[in-house]
Structures are given as structure tokens and as C-alpha cells.
Amino acid sequence: MTALFPVLEAPDGRVVLRFEGQTLSARQLARRCAAHLERLRAAGVSPGAHVGVWTQPRLETCVALVANAAAGFVTVPLDPKLGPRELGHLASDARPVVTLAAEPEAVAGRLPAPLLAVDAAESPAAVRWRAADRAPLLVLYTSGTTGLPKGAVIAASSVAFDLDALASAWAWTRDDTVVHALPLFHVHGLCVGLFGALRAGGALHWLPKFEPHAVSAALEARRAMLFAVPTMYHRLADAAASEPAVARGLRAARLLVSGSAALPQRDQARLEALLGPRVVERYGLTETLINTAARAGAPPSPGPVGAPLEGVELRLVDDERRPVVAGQMGEVAVRGPNVFLGYLNRPDATAAVLDAEGWFYTGDLATADADGQVRIVGRRATDLIKCGGFKVGAGEVEAALLEHPGVLEAAVVGRPDDDLGERIVAFVVATGEVTPEALIDHVARLTSPHKRPRAVHLVPELPRNAMGKVLKSKLP
Ligand code: MCA
Ligand code: AMP
């Protein structure tokens, strides 16, 4: 079995990481990883332990994530903007034995586990890198329709398998630089972006904040590949329409890849008119990593998210989980080495989505062409909202609203939005004087700010059926 990042086994002087004018060669990265691992061992932490990593926008964050992955420490990535609600849950659920931060002072006291600094030290010590086996690599928290987020446990072998399949789909090699401006606490930015670039033996240029000029300049500098969510492509299309430099940078890219939510046809068409080549889409979930991808160089076909990756089985099923007749719409079920190990401490939730034969039920509705091209057409649960590529459970936002003393009842829905895909909208029955702005700020403080409603409507009552259940379809 091979190592997760072969590039660290015989590291050379080629640049593998770029961030804000700083670079690290493979050799420097390997030495920084070795120093990091010495630090963990000195703190009494052994491989297999849950280690929290605050994903602050710093080069050292990448080093901590790579070192943990390469040496068998199970990373629980922590969004520095997590609210007290999510943090409290995570501390008792994942129980990290230690947390790591490039800027410890910014997150001190936020979790009970001891906090270690990740610095720029290097060590010449030889490291035994882990094999990409079926043991846990990551615990990634993902929202459900109700309750608090669940920790999806991802095996190293799943990440290795999925990245190799993507590399083959996109002819991704050590000559490629990936550019992305995604957070490092989800599959897209962390697994596909950071780990993918290193597994291919190429480089990642990570931008701490999404900004069209910075993205296009980074693409142009190295004929790079761009990984981004549809909201970013929407904003890039706006910028490219009025600013030639942005269009030039995008045109120089070797491959533009969109994922995490549906790329609207309108933005796809705008980009094609401006740039020529189409943006390729791929489809995945936290629990399965990437399942399907449009192949680089394949003839353009608007709409589909591509065919299943090599080694991934995909079928469409009805409400009883029986395969649908060819050509009909059904729920996407997938099986393969990419599927996760289960939710941490939640056998009930795992059993609800993963059957005895290894099929994972995604909740996404799709159709498939005769040649296997998959087209995502909807979602079974209306209580899941994809806002800017972040999955947000309506129930989580409702629970946060109900913690405000001025809120009596709350119902949260996703509404179509040209920029965000879906916008989080709340309908609230208030007990007294409370403004929509105060409620938005309240949710942004209690949870991650991206879960905040973009609009709050104060209403005298919520529509309900005879049983008293809120009828979200009747909301204005
Ligand atoms: C705004 N902010 C606030 C408030 N309002 N802070 C406190 N209180 C408030 N009321 C802050 C935010 O924290 C943020 O700070 C800044 O203001 C702007 O926030 P926002 O308006 O939410 O940002 P945006 O412009 O709407 O962001 C768009 C985005 C973002 C950049 C596209 O949505 C994004 O990064 N999306 C990526 C999601 C992703 O990676 N998904 C992958 C999931 P600051 O600027 O400091 O941050 S993995 C997945 O889906 C599967 C596996 C797959 O297929 O990939
Ligand atoms: P997450 O749990 O954040 O990993 O989100 C996974 C969900 O994102 C999937 O179940 C889909 O609903 C959605 N998704 C990801 N990629 C795409 C895509 N290319 N097109 C449509 N939906 C997507």
C-alpha cells in the first residue's frame, strides 16, 4: 500500500505550496512536517488520536493538516468562525486531545483541549509516513436537516482512491498547480484542493480570501487549475464581463472546475461566452467525497455533473431503494472505496444512509443518460439549504433563532438566489420588540456566520396543518 503523499517520501526542491508570497518546497514541507510531528509526540499525542486544527488563513495551517494526514493523526478541522453552539457539540463529540493553531492567541480558550502553536520550525528527522489504509484520516462535521452537525469519519484509503480517480479524470499531474480560495474545513478545499494537489505531486496556491483579481492573477501565472463553488464562478463572470484582466486570467487556466452545488446554466453560458472553454462540474458529498466528474477534454455538454469516477458504482433508486427504470429520476445511491466509515458516535444516523451492501443514499435526486452522464435535479429534503456551497440544516438555524428571548416561533427555508444558489430566509413570530438585523447577528454569533439568515421576516403566525405542523410550502 502506498503512502498518502508520495511526494514526501523523496522530497525535492520543487514548490508544492504557495500562500501570500510565501512558498514551501516539498523538502521544506517534509522537514516542517517532521518538526510538527516531534511537537505532537512531545505533547504525548500518538497517531490515531483526534487532533483539532484551527483552519486559520496561514501557511502553517496547511503544514499541520498535511503532517497529521501523512503520519496518521486524525484531524478534526475547526472553522475559526465556529460559534459556541457548534464548538460545545464538537468538543464533547469528537473529544480532540489537543488543538493546533498557527495563531493560538486568536482561538485561546475556545475549546477545553490544550492548544499548541504551529510554527515554522523544520527538523531533519526521518519520518515513517502512514500507508493510505482504511483507518480514519479526518472527522468532517456536516449539517443534517435537524439537530447538530454530524462528524463524518473519512478513511485515508477513501481520499487516496478518490484523488487518484479525479487525477485520471482531469489528467492531473505533478506539472499542475491548483488555485483555490476555499476554506480548509470541508472536503472541497481540504481533500480535493490541498490533499489532491500534494497527492498528484503538483502544487497548491491557496488564497486566503476569494477575490476575482487575485484568483485570475494566480491562474494566469501558472496556467493553473481552479477549484471553486458556483457562487465564486458567478462573481468571476460578473468581474470578467467588465474587466479584461480577469477574463484573461480565467482564459489562461488549464481547467476550471465547479462543485459543492449546482452551477446555474445561466452562469455556465455567461462564462462560455466570455472564455470559450466550459467549466467542468463534479458532484460529491462530505460522506462520499467526489462521485462523478466531467472529464477534461470531453466534448462540452451543459447540465450533467459527469459520469461516475472509475471504481465508483452509482445507481438511481425509488422511495423503497429499488433501482428505477432507465431514464427515470431517482435518488442517487453510491458504493465504492470512496464511501465514508460512518458518523462519529451516531450508528443510528449511519444506518439510515448506509445499507448492509455498502450503498450510501445521498438524498440527491438525479437522472442519468444512457452513457452514464448524471444530472442532479433536486434534493429529497427541503430542509437542507446549500448557500454559497455551504450545507446548512434549516433545523439548526431554527434552533439558534429560538434561543433568542424575543423569538416565539421560527421557520427557515432556502430561496433561490442568483449569487448564493440558495439564500437562507427565516420567518419569525416574535414575542416583543426585536429587529431582523438583531436576529441575523444573533445567529451569526451563536453559529458560523455563513449559517445566518440573509433575510428575516417578522410574521404574526406560521401556517400550520391540523396537527400543528408548520407548512413551509405555505410560507410567502
Ligand atoms: C457577515 N459576516 C458576519 C456577519 N455577516 N459576521 C458576523 N455577523 C454577521 N452578521 C462576515 C462573514 O463571517 C465573512 O467574514 C464576511 O462577513 C462575509 O460573509 P458572507 O457574506 O457570508 O460571505 P460571502 O461573500 O457570501 O461568501 C461567499 C463565498 C463563501 C466566498 C463563496 O460562501 C464560501 O467560501 N463558500 C465555500 C463553501 C465550501 O467550501 N463548500 C464546500 C463544502 P470573512 O470575510 O472574514 O470570512 S464540501 C461539499 O460541498 C462537497 C464535498 C463538494 O461537492 O465539494
Ligand atoms: P456537503 O454535505 O456540504 O458535502 O454537500 C453535499 C451536497 O452538495 C450534495 O448532496 C449535493 O446536494 C450538493 N452538490 C455537490 N456538488 C454538486 C454539483 N456539482 N451539482 C449539484 N449539487 C452538488
Side-chain angles (χ1 to χ4, degrees), residues 142 259-262 281-286 305 364 376 386 391:
T142 177
S260 299
E281 277 200 78
R282 92 293 178 290
Y283 154 73
L285 283 87
T286 300
V305 291
D364 291 312
I376 306 294
K386 264 267 158 157
K391 187 195 262 182

Side-chain angles (χ1 to χ4, degrees), residues 122-172:
E122 293 188 8
S123 161
V127 175
R128 257 196 63 208
W129 307 110
R130 75 172 293 170
D133 57 21
R134 196 84 189 128
L137 178 80
L138 296 165
V139 179
L140 300 178
Y141 278 82
T142 177
S143 291
T145 48
T146 55
L148 286 157
K150 302 184 287 280
V153 185
I154 316 286
S157 55
S158 298
V159 172
F161 160 84
D162 207 60
L163 292 174
D164 292 349
L166 281 176
S168 136
W170 296 333
W172 185 0

Side-chain angles (χ1 to χ4, degrees), residues 218-278:
L219 289 173
E220 193 172 11
R222 305 206 153 64
R223 276 203 78 232
M225 292 158 78
L226 175 65
F227 294 169
V229 296
T231 301
M232 294 175 177
Y233 281 107
H234 178 83
R235 295 179 188 181
L236 285 166
D238 282 350
S242 56
E243 295 172 59
V246 174
R248 202 179 57 231
L250 288 170
R251 260 185 234 121
R254 178 173 88 73
L255 193 67
L256 301 170
V257 183
S258 175
S260 299
L263 180 65
Q265 295 264 348
R266 189 173 155 269
D267 286 328
Q268 179 70 278
R270 280 204 303 160
L271 287 160
E272 196 180 356
L274 284 162
L275 313 173
R278 298 193 67 83

Side-chain angles (χ1 to χ4, degrees), residues 285 315 317 321 331-334 352-355 359-363:
L285 283 87
R315 66 187 193 191
V317 298
R321 295 186 169 175
E331 179 181 355
V332 178
V334 294
V353 291
L354 191 59
D355 73 14
W359 288 99
F360 176 88
Y361 297 88
T362 62

Side-chain angles (χ1 to χ4, degrees), residues 427-447:
F427 293 83
V428 165
V429 181
T431 53
E433 283 296 298
V434 60
T435 62
E437 294 70 33
L439 293 179
I440 293 169
D441 287 345
H442 163 79
V443 177
R445 258 195 314 275
L446 208 58
T447 68

Side-chain angles (χ1 to χ4, degrees), residues 15 17 20 65 68 127 199 231 240 308 319 328 383 439 471:
V15 169
L17 284 175
E20 300 266 89
L65 291 164
N68 285 355
V127 175
R199 183 151 175 95
T231 301
D319 288 348
Q328 280 192 355
D383 273 350
L439 293 179
L471 295 170

Side-chain angles (χ1 to χ4, degrees), residues 39-217:
R39 199 179 305 131
L40 278 180
R41 276 192 202 101
V45 187
S46 307
H50 285 180
V51 174
V53 177
W54 293 97
T55 57
Q56 293 160 327
R58 293 275 300 267
L59 188 64
E60 289 75 20
T61 303
C62 298
V63 174
L65 291 164
V66 171
N68 285 355
F73 295 85
V74 183
T75 292
V76 186
L78 305 166
D79 172 5
K81 291 207 154 105
L82 281 173
R85 214 164 186 277
E86 294 142 325
L87 276 176
H89 168 60
L90 201 144
S92 61
D93 191 48
R95 298 180 177 278
V97 295
V98 65
T99 62
L100 303 163
E103 286 177 73
E105 55 292 349
V107 289
R110 299 194 61 205
L111 276 178
L115 179 60
L116 289 185
V118 188
D119 59 29
E122 293 188 8
S123 161
V127 175
R128 257 196 63 208
W129 307 110
R130 75 172 293 170
D133 57 21
R134 196 84 189 128
L137 178 80
L138 296 165
V139 179
L140 300 178
Y141 278 82
T142 177
S143 291
T145 48
T146 55
L148 286 157
K150 302 184 287 280
V153 185
I154 316 286
S157 55
S158 298
V159 172
F161 160 84
D162 207 60
L163 292 174
D164 292 349
L166 281 176
S168 136
W170 296 333
W172 185 0
T173 70
R174 69 196 296 262
D175 296 328
D176 279 303
T177 293
V178 170
V179 169
H180 83 61
L182 296 156
L184 293 185
F185 49 83
H186 279 313
V187 163
H188 198 164
L190 174 59
C191 297
V192 191
L194 173 61
F195 292 171
L198 282 178
R199 183 151 175 95
L204 170 70
H205 184 166
W206 183 38
L207 301 165
K209 204 166 177 59
F210 173 76
E211 198 282 310
H213 293 93
V215 168
S216 61

